[in-house]
Amino acid sequence: MERVIIHVDMDAFYAAVEQRDNPLYRGQPVIVGGTVEQRGVVSTASYEARKYGVHSAMSMYEAHRRCPQGIYLPVDMEKYRAVSQEIMTIFQQYTPEVEAISLDEAFLDVTGSCKLFGGAENIGHQIKNEIKKKLQLTASVGIAYNKFLAKLASDLDKPDGFCVLTPNDLAAKVWPLPIGKMMGVGSKTEEQLKAMHIKTIGQLAQVDLALLERLLGKAGRQMGEMARGIDLREVEPVREHKSVGRETTFPKDIQQSQLLETVLFELTDDVCYTLRSQKLKGKTVTLKIKYADFKVVTRAVTMDKYTANFEMVFAQIKQLLQQHYREGMPVRLIGITVSHLKAEDEIVEQTSLFEDNKQEEKHQKLDAVLDKLNAKYGKESVIRARKLEWEQE
Ligand code: TTP
Ligand code: MG
């Protein structure tokens, strides 16, 4: 099945946000970047400033020379990041398959959601409209059957662009373009290709793929394929892990806290193992109980630290059970969820020499040993001592 991919790229992003937030800047040449004193460069220039030949990565000194009357502003990353979040939230309404490439740019694979929204072009227009209405900003949209062409398309009609490329458009719209317009063609590769008298994408499409690979490596072959309109790269969303949970429904209602604890022990072990294997840690532990009358109760506790450690999580869930379960109440289902997750390497640990840290370290070592054995011999081969005790009872 042919894929449908949309590429969205905001127009003059940093400068457009500044123009939106200050009416005096609208219609003016606005240049966002560092300072001349600090030998800074241009981050971006409004389309009005581009007329004077000012562009990204140019020295501020040169920008001032070309456009002395320009409005020069510092970079306000926090503000652009917040706007970016809002843009990405709009994309998510149309598909979860969103791959953000930078703050102002993303690929959306809408193959699966086209029908629901009345076609890809409709989605493209709706996204543009929503960005304009909600954020007072303009975006350029490109639609095609692969990433390479979708990105090329969004650039073809900038600013406030809308462009669809089909296989039939290759010869007329893509092949006449200079090879510099291709994704991943750096200036060095461009020089090499020009030395071979390859200046346009169409000329590149004529070159034997094996020859390109010999001359420029794997990337050379890939470029040759893209020039022919072939690009199999997937849209790769960074999947946000919101929570990891397990629950179980009993064949017969359970009425003893001791038994519930035993089940939670197993479920917690599973959840923590999943967290660790995905290199995640969590801060909030939630207990879920569904009673025989189908009434559901959830109770959560937030720890002061991120963890994927079994002992720590189990201590919390056990306490929740003790606090909120009344002995004798028939339970139909029980579950545990760990949420408020973060990737291990994003967590800044507070180093301390206190005793409980040593204890924690010991627990973590045990987790690590068990994980290793599990990985080697299978999940069921290693059983925590306490679990063994129960199984022998
Ligand atoms: P781009 O999308 O490349 O540029 P743009 O959005 O300003 O303009 P347009 O897409 O209409 O051509 O980059 C997005 C933002 O990233 C840009 O607003 C500022 C920042 N940026 C830099 O800080 N340095 C750079 O060299 C580039 C290219 C962009
Ligand atoms: Mg942009």
Side-chain angles (χ1 to χ4, degrees):
M1 181 164 122
E2 196 154 87
R3 293 177 300 158
V4 189
I5 293 170
I6 299 184
H7 180 257
V8 188
D9 189 307
M10 303 299 292
D11 304 320
F13 186 48
Y14 297 0
V17 172
E18 299 299 346
Q19 287 180 318
R20 175 193 74 175
D21 292 351
N22 188 336
L24 293 176
Y25 298 163
R26 292 181 201 158
Q28 301 295 320
V30 170
I31 295 135
V32 181
T35 61
V36 175
E37 293 74 40
Q38 292 185 310
R39 299 211 270 168
V41 294
V42 174
S43 292
T44 196
S46 70
Y47 279 78
E48 295 86 352
R50 291 182 198 194
K51 288 191 198 131
Y52 297 88
V54 179
H55 56 75
S56 297
M58 173 180 279
S59 77
M60 267 296 176
Y61 178 82
E62 181 60 19
H64 275 279
R65 205 184 62 77
R66 294 190 185 194
C67 186
Q69 73 275 44
I71 297 166
Y72 288 84
L73 301 170
V75 176
D76 185 348
M77 247 4 234
E78 219 168 294
K79 179 149 88 178
Y80 313 140
R81 223 173 259 136
V83 178
S84 175
Q85 275 290 322
E86 294 183 89
I87 299 164
M88 300 297 162
T89 307
I90 293 177
F91 299 159
Q92 288 287 342
Q93 295 170 9
Y94 298 94
T95 173
E97 304 294 307
V98 177
E99 178 181 351
I101 300 297
S102 67
L103 285 187
D104 88 320
E105 179 188 352
F107 285 109
L108 285 69
D109 187 332
V110 295
T111 314
S113 54
C114 263
K115 254 201 185 142
L116 181 66
F117 295 100
E121 296 194 21
N122 248 329
I123 297 181
H125 284 302
Q126 282 182 38
I127 285 175
K128 274 172 68 84
N129 289 343
E130 225 168 313
I131 289 177
K132 194 165 277 169
K133 211 171 101 200
K134 285 199 182 137
L135 306 172
Q136 292 88 47
L137 293 169
T138 63
S140 293
V141 162
I143 305 177
Y145 53 98
N146 64 40
K147 277 177 146 180
F148 164 62
L149 291 170
K151 185 168 162 86
L152 204 66
S154 76
D155 194 48
L156 277 183
D157 197 22
K158 247 181 188 305
D160 203 9
F162 187 91
C163 174
V164 183
L165 288 177
T166 69
N168 292 333
D169 296 321
L170 265 185
K173 294 188 183 161
V174 177
W175 286 346
L177 298 171
I179 42 165
K181 286 266 174 201
M182 290 193 66
M183 233 166 160
V185 175
S187 48
K188 203 176 138 213
T189 315
E190 201 173 333
E191 286 313 310
Q192 279 174 297
L193 290 170
K194 279 189 178 152
M196 295 161 66
H197 303 289
I198 301 167
K199 293 197 186 91
T200 65
I201 297 180
Q203 285 167 341
L204 182 61
Q206 304 265 307
V207 186
D208 181 60
L209 289 175
L211 176 67
L212 281 172
E213 183 162 352
R214 242 195 343 271
L215 292 172
L216 301 165
K218 275 239 155 23
R221 171 181 283 272
Q222 204 185 9
M223 268 165 18
E225 285 174 348
M226 290 202 277
R228 289 164 166 80
I230 302 163
D231 176 11
L232 300 177
R233 287 170 307 159
E234 299 278 339
V235 172
E236 287 172 15
V238 184
R239 305 217 183 260
E240 211 188 315
H241 301 271
K242 295 223 160 74
S243 65
V244 172
R246 294 278 179 280
E247 56 181 46
T248 189
T249 305
F250 306 120
K252 230 176 83 191
D253 296 343
I254 286 185
Q255 300 177 265
Q256 293 161 293
S257 57
Q258 183 60 52
L259 268 177
L260 292 171
E261 204 181 281
T262 309
V263 176
L264 282 172
F265 187 97
E266 288 264 357
L267 297 175
T268 305
D269 193 29
D270 226 35
V271 164
C272 291
Y273 181 76
T274 303
L275 285 171
R276 292 194 299 272
S277 63
Q278 296 181 13
K279 308 224 173 309
L280 295 168
K281 288 183 176 185
K283 222 173 174 185
T284 301
V285 179
T286 304
L287 169 73
K288 175 179 171 185
I289 302 176
K290 191 191 261 178
Y291 290 100
D293 61 1
F294 285 84
K295 199 175 142 217
V296 179
V297 174
T298 58
R299 290 287 179 267
V301 61
T302 296
M303 303 173 283
D304 51 10
K305 262 187 174 175
Y306 288 92
T307 187
N309 171 250
F310 170 81
E311 307 289 339
M312 281 178 70
V313 177
F314 186 60
Q316 301 296 335
I317 201 82
K318 208 167 114 176
Q319 200 175 1
L320 284 172
L321 185 74
Q322 282 164 4
Q323 286 167 351
H324 301 288
Y325 174 68
R326 202 146 42 83
E327 197 68 36
M329 291 279 281
V331 175
R332 197 184 146 73
L333 169 153
I334 200 151
I336 171 179
T337 302
V338 175
S339 57
H340 206 150
L341 304 184
K342 244 191 182 167
E344 263 173 19
D345 52 13
E346 277 175 37
I347 300 162
V348 189
E349 294 279 359
Q350 300 156 297
T351 42
S352 139
L353 296 170
F354 294 129
E355 201 50 38
D356 65 324
N357 266 34
K358 275 199 192 141
Q359 183 70 11
E360 193 187 327
E361 212 175 279
K362 223 168 80 190
H363 289 329
Q364 276 171 358
K365 275 194 188 138
L366 176 63
D367 279 341
V369 170
L370 294 181
D371 287 349
K372 232 186 225 163
L373 290 170
N374 277 330
K376 203 160 170 191
Y377 302 109
K379 181 85 179 76
E380 292 312 313
S381 66
V382 197
I383 302 170
R384 284 172 200 275
R386 192 151 155 212
K387 199 158 142 191
L388 268 182
E389 276 166 36
W390 277 326
E391 288 186 351
Q392 283 162 2
E393 268 170 16

